Amino acid sequence: MSSDTSINKNSPTKARPASLAEAKRQAKLLRSELQKDGINIAHSKSLELIAQQYGYRDWNTLFAQYGNQLSRDWQIGDRVSGLYLSQPFEAIILAVQKLADGRHRLTFQFDEPVDVITFESMSNFRSRTSQVIGPDGTTREKTSNGQPHMILDL
């Protein structure tokens, strides 16, 4: 790997993947990209590298962070931020409906309208949306590039 993509264990990042599924997707992509360069690594090694990239000792430590999270009880009026259709946002929660499977249907009012079209010559600004959010802060629904429609900063 080149020096700009190497892992510096002395200064780990503060972020973490939005979900375990996202971390696994990143590991799969890393493995695929390395294979294109003639470097073959096991899937488990790519998981370890992704965990280290986010500042965790190993995959098991990263995995435990998700397993140890408590389910969030969302409230009307909560302030949230994150990504909606890959666009950053800040919003207030207008409505909450707890679903049986640990998910929540939340209605968000964005502080600033979010342009949900990435095509340069078009725009479609959205001020409000309702999404079903899982315990990991993401939607099950994904865009064509595999990203969840919404990723909340937890």
Side-chain angles (χ1 to χ4, degrees):
M1 278 190 223
S2 64
S3 63
D4 61 328
T5 60
S6 65
I7 298 168
N8 182 348
K9 294 178 184 177
N10 295 326
S11 60
T13 61
K14 300 292 184 204
R16 70 177 196 184
S19 66
L20 285 174
E22 173 61 16
K24 289 176 183 179
R25 187 195 68 76
Q26 290 176 9
K28 185 177 179 180
L29 178 63
L30 173 64
R31 186 172 180 217
S32 173
E33 290 298 314
L34 288 173
Q35 283 178 334
K36 288 178 185 175
D37 292 336
I39 302 169
N40 293 313
I41 62 171
H43 181 65
S44 60
K45 180 64 175 177
S46 65
L47 291 170
E48 296 290 327
L49 290 171
I50 292 299
Q52 291 171 6
Q53 178 181 352
Y54 283 97
Y56 294 91
R57 184 181 71 231
D58 54 31
W59 175 254
N60 289 335
T61 306
L62 173 62
F63 186 88
Q65 290 299 307
Y66 288 92
N68 292 335
Q69 282 184 321
L70 299 175
S71 179
R72 171 99 188 244
D73 278 329
W74 301 101
Q75 303 292 320
I76 293 174
D78 281 353
R79 302 270 323 144
V80 295
S81 62
L83 296 175
Y84 176 59
L85 299 175
S86 301
Q87 303 299 319
F89 75 89
E90 292 184 6
I92 190 167
I93 296 177
L94 298 178
V96 176
Q97 178 186 5
K98 191 170 186 173
L99 305 176
D101 61 356
R103 301 171 92 59
H104 291 81
R105 181 180 314 282
L106 304 174
T107 301
F108 303 91
Q109 177 69 45
F110 298 126
D111 292 354
E112 299 288 329
V114 175
D115 189 356
V116 297
I117 296 179
T118 57
F119 189 61
E120 288 182 24
S121 64
M122 290 183 68
S123 290
N124 182 9
F125 289 92
R126 192 163 292 161
S127 297
R128 185 180 291 187
T129 187
S130 293
Q131 301 291 320
V132 175
I133 303 293
D136 64 351
T138 67
T139 59
R140 285 184 182 159
E141 297 77 23
K142 298 189 183 330
T143 60
S144 60
N145 67 0
Q147 295 295 314
H149 283 192
M150 183 172 275
I151 302 171
L152 296 178
D153 298 328
L154 298 179

